[in-house]
Amino acid sequence: MKILVVGGGGREHAIIKKIKENPTVTEIFALPGNGGIAKDATCVNIGAKDIPAIVKFAEENKIDYAIVAPDDPLVLGCVDALEAIGVPCFGPRANAAIIEGSKVFSKNLMKKYGIPTAEYEVFSDAASALEYLKDAPIPTVIKADGLALGKGVIIAETREAAFDAVHSMMEDKVFGESGSNIVIEEFLTGPEVSVLSFTDGKTVVPMISSQDHKRAHDNDTGLNTGGMGTVAPNPYYTNDVAKECMEKIFVPTINAMASEGRTFKGCLYFGLMLTPKGPKVIEYNCRFGDPETQVVLPLLESDLLTVMRATTNGTLAECEVKFAKKNACCVIMASDGYPEHYEKGFPITIPEATLPSVYVAGAALKDGALVTSGGRVLGVTAVEDTLKGAIESAYKLVGTVDFDNAFYRHDIGKRALMAKENN
Ligand code: AMP
Ligand code: GLY
């Protein structure tokens, strides 16, 4: 089978490495891929949002199956466009990807179907939002409606900060049209859990749970990033919590989307907060998380391509999805200065023995050698029997990778480990 993967980050690298395990796969194309992915797939210089070029490539190269990994092409209708030329895809159509593409949509969906989430109000003009904020409880959370590269959420600790957020989103348009509508919601507290799930629109199969570390620096300080590391499973996500989430959140969401005529197929990501009043949805993503994928897929024992095709064909109920009873830890190595200003172009050395554990996110090939080209450069994942072992091994592997200006958090998994020891 000829497979096309849209995207070019660490998540896509993890998907590609797993897909390669299937013996029927003859060729994998990554659009655009990256310098590290080039070791495992044929990278083609077509941007993940260039849907006409993606479709043309799929047609010319007789692609058998496409995996659309990032949010933008999904929201823009990449799956719809590929299906229109007869290419089956992993991923939701645009009318279902809206669950991530519009926070107003997802909040209204949860309200209509009684799915637990933070209380909220929607605003389409700055004056009413500012008026509401005059006596709203503080802290409060302000979210741009549309996609904003993961930056569209502001936790306002003071009333001033809340006013500023509204001004910057709705008047200064820092997130462009994504901030034309905003959601202002209740500030929730509790441990966060990411649960990715496979779904064919009828059946939902949660994957092993995970925990992201979003802040740039140790002890959850510094700016929000795309994610600096992950562990799986997440010790806060006990069997009881899992059961409650399945009943109150996962199944109701899949059914709600189907009832709305927006059947969701692919990977639905539940960003959950385990509040004192029970698990609540913080966000939905219409895709695999990054860097959650880099710890979840290494623990998947079943064949990924088989499971993916079952979500497309509507046969997920008959498909085995099994995870190893082990632990994984992924440490992201970034360029110093990320998520703000950083330099690029430094050569990267990765020992041969470490390569299978590395998922490359931001690196390019220059004269055949790998050089840094992004903020998050690569992730290093270790799988071990215990969480402690996985963390130790991941950091040992990180020590073998070298590039100038490398920086990473030193405490990935620390909180999870403490939670485990306290239980
Ligand atoms: P998002 O960009 O939607 O992933 O949100 C970024 C982060 O903001 C989440 O991972 C949470 O840590 C935090 N967050 C979002 N909504 C809330 C909320 N209602 N209460 C507290 N924290 C929140
Ligand atoms: N790790 C969070 C995300 O993929 O959105």
Side-chain angles (χ1 to χ4, degrees):
M1 283 184 79
K2 283 174 145 188
I3 311 286
L4 181 158
V5 176
V6 176
R11 163 186 56 202
E12 287 76 7
H13 200 182
I15 291 171
I16 287 167
K17 282 195 180 190
K18 202 76 192 169
I19 289 291
K20 274 182 83 170
E21 292 175 8
N22 181 304
T24 69
V25 172
T26 50
E27 196 157 14
I28 304 177
F29 296 99
L31 279 55
N34 66 43
I37 290 176
K39 253 192 169 327
D40 296 290
T42 307
C43 295
V44 183
N45 194 13
I46 292 176
K49 288 197 270 185
D50 191 349
I51 294 174
I54 294 169
V55 169
K56 187 161 169 271
F57 180 88
E59 197 157 36
E60 285 174 0
N61 290 278
K62 301 198 169 40
I63 294 298
D64 297 300
Y65 191 69
I67 299 163
V68 183
D71 47 5
D72 283 307
L74 289 166
V75 171
L76 291 169
C78 192
V79 166
D80 309 56
L82 286 167
E83 282 181 352
I85 58 155
V87 178
C89 295
F90 180 80
R93 295 180 183 159
N95 76 345
I98 192 175
I99 198 165
E100 173 170 4
S102 167
K103 291 213 166 24
V104 173
F105 171 85
S106 65
K107 294 298 290 190
N108 290 343
L109 183 87
M110 287 186 270
K111 187 187 249 176
K112 181 170 171 187
Y113 291 91
I115 297 163
T117 188
E119 295 292 331
Y120 72 103
E121 299 284 339
V122 175
F123 297 95
S124 52
D125 70 282
S128 341
L130 294 169
E131 184 59 34
Y132 169 83
L133 282 174
K134 277 188 186 156
D135 20 60
I138 299 293
T140 189
V141 184
I142 307 189
K143 300 187 171 183
D145 176 37
L147 297 180
L149 294 170
K151 294 180 187 151
V153 174
I154 292 177
I155 314 276
E157 307 273 359
T158 63
R159 210 166 293 280
E160 270 315 297
F163 292 145
D164 286 350
V166 170
H167 287 305
S168 66
M169 283 186 198
M170 302 194 88
E171 289 166 357
D172 305 341
K173 298 258 177 213
V174 290
F175 303 123
E177 285 313 306
S178 286
S180 299
N181 294 302
I182 61 165
V183 171
I184 300 186
E185 71 177 31
E186 175 196 9
F187 175 74
L188 299 176
T189 54
E192 286 186 58
V193 183
S194 305
V195 181
L196 321 185
S197 69
F198 291 109
T199 176
D200 61 3
K202 301 172 288 191
T203 301
V204 56
V205 180
M207 299 180 220
I208 200 163
S209 63
S210 55
Q211 181 176 30
D212 195 2
H213 296 68
K214 287 197 192 233
R215 299 295 197 95
H217 300 295
D218 287 4
N219 300 314
D220 295 324
T221 57
L223 292 172
N224 250 323
T225 69
M228 292 301 293
T230 34
V231 290
N234 183 326
Y236 290 102
Y237 193 72
T238 60
N239 288 342
D240 286 346
V241 174
K243 192 163 170 280
E244 190 176 356
C245 289
M246 192 69 182
E247 282 165 13
K248 295 188 180 157
I249 296 175
F250 306 160
V251 171
T253 301
I254 298 305
N255 291 343
M257 290 298 278
S259 303
E260 294 290 309
R262 297 175 181 275
T263 297
F264 190 104
K265 292 183 176 199
C267 172
L268 183 55
Y269 166 134
F270 298 89
L272 307 171
M273 197 172 265
L274 309 182
T275 78
K277 291 189 189 155
K280 296 194 181 191
V281 177
I282 289 281
E283 62 163 346
Y284 291 115
N285 290 326
C286 65
R287 51 168 175 87
F288 280 100
D290 190 340
E292 285 90 342
T293 307
Q294 291 92 310
V295 283
V296 169
L297 290 187
L299 294 172
L300 179 66
E301 286 182 338
S302 311
D303 178 62
L304 177 61
L305 186 61
T306 305
V307 179
M308 285 181 155
R309 293 180 74 201
T311 71
T312 312
N313 300 335
T315 53
L316 189 60
E318 296 132 50
C319 188
E320 189 193 52
V321 185
K322 216 172 134 210
F323 285 88
K325 291 205 170 10
K326 292 188 173 190
N327 292 259
C329 173
C330 174
V331 178
I332 297 291
M333 298 182 75
S335 304
D336 193 22
Y338 171 75
E340 292 186 295
H341 308 291
Y342 52 85
E343 289 180 62
K344 307 181 203 177
F346 299 113
I348 308 170
T349 46
I350 309 171
E352 203 63 35
T354 306
L355 266 184
S357 315
V358 171
Y359 301 114
V360 175
L365 285 174
K366 198 176 155 204
D367 305 325
L370 206 55
V371 299
T372 64
S373 70
R376 289 192 298 175
V377 175
L378 52 86
V380 180
T381 297
V383 174
E384 298 287 353
D385 288 338
T386 64
L387 176 61
K388 191 162 179 277
I391 296 168
E392 281 170 8
S393 294
Y395 278 105
K396 235 180 244 160
L397 288 165
V398 163
T400 68
V401 176
D402 185 55
F403 58 90
D404 280 356
N405 285 17
F407 112 94
Y408 54 88
R409 275 180 63 161
H410 302 84
D411 63 344
I412 301 302
K414 191 172 156 191
R415 216 173 263 246
L417 205 52
M418 272 162 33
K420 217 166 182 171
E421 282 162 3
N422 292 337
N423 268 328

